[in-house]
């Protein structure tokens, strides 16, 4: 599978997708207009091994709901990601059985290598 979960209104996502220059084999899913399904989040979980690794602690709602002061379980992270798209750390790039989560320089470079060699 070749897929990128992103937010079309996010300038960082736009910049990274442009940098990665994915081929037409890639499916781009805008998580705001096409919500993540339980099946999709479980697929990501199998590749990364943790819902917390997929969770964005930079989300505005994370601060608004004071979630940093709560003891969240893996199931809580999964539920929150499914509840609102901003809780997914973006972008998520899947290339075969490899997954790249987030926008750190190191992650983007690794994704670029996986995509473009």
């Amino acid at each position: 599978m070749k897929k990128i979960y992103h937010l079309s209104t996010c300038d960082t996502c736009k910049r990274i997708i442009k940098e990665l220059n994915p081929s037409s084999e890639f499916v781009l899913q805008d998580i705001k207009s096409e919500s993540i399904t339980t099946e999709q989040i479980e697929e990501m979980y199998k590749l990364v091994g943790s819902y917390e690794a997929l969770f964005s602690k930079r989300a505005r709602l994370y601060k608004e709901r004071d979630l940093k002061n709560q003891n969240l379980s893996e199931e809580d992270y999964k539920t929150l990601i499914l509840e609102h798209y901003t809780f997914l750390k973006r972008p998520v790039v899947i290339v075969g059985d490899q997954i790249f989560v987030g926008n750190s320089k190191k992650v983007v470079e690794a994704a670029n290598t996986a995509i473009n060699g």
Side-chain angles (χ1 to χ4, degrees):
M1 179 200 321
K2 294 183 176 188
K3 188 155 193 171
I4 300 176
Y5 295 92
H6 68 103
L7 190 55
S8 64
T9 55
C10 169
D11 289 336
T12 303
C13 285
K14 288 179 198 172
R15 176 184 53 80
I16 291 169
I17 290 170
K18 186 176 180 183
E19 184 180 325
L20 295 175
N21 192 24
S23 70
S24 59
E25 295 176 334
F26 275 83
V27 174
L28 272 64
Q29 180 173 331
D30 180 357
I31 59 174
K32 186 174 184 176
S33 61
E34 187 183 340
S35 297
I36 297 165
T37 65
T38 301
E39 187 180 82
Q40 289 172 327
I41 193 79
E42 288 172 354
E43 215 170 72
M44 289 183 236
Y45 175 82
K46 285 178 192 165
L47 294 171
V48 81
S50 161
Y51 289 112
E52 185 175 6
L54 295 165
F55 189 84
S56 173
K57 293 182 178 175
R58 293 182 178 178
R60 191 183 75 240
L61 287 176
Y62 182 74
K63 292 173 183 72
E64 285 177 9
R65 294 186 187 179
D66 197 33
L67 296 174
K68 71 176 179 188
N69 294 317
Q70 295 179 33
N71 190 12
L72 299 173
S73 68
E74 280 290 296
E75 198 57 36
D76 292 331
Y77 287 120
K78 176 183 177 183
T79 302
L80 286 164
I81 292 169
L82 288 170
E83 178 189 308
H84 203 280
Y85 65 88
T86 61
F87 287 124
L88 182 68
K89 193 183 282 185
R90 318 173 285 278
V92 175
V93 180
I94 300 174
V95 184
D97 62 354
Q98 295 179 285
I99 188 167
F100 306 93
V101 182
N103 57 29
S104 74
K105 188 173 183 171
K106 187 177 173 184
V107 169
V108 174
E109 285 173 357
N112 201 350
T113 300
I115 292 170
N116 301 306

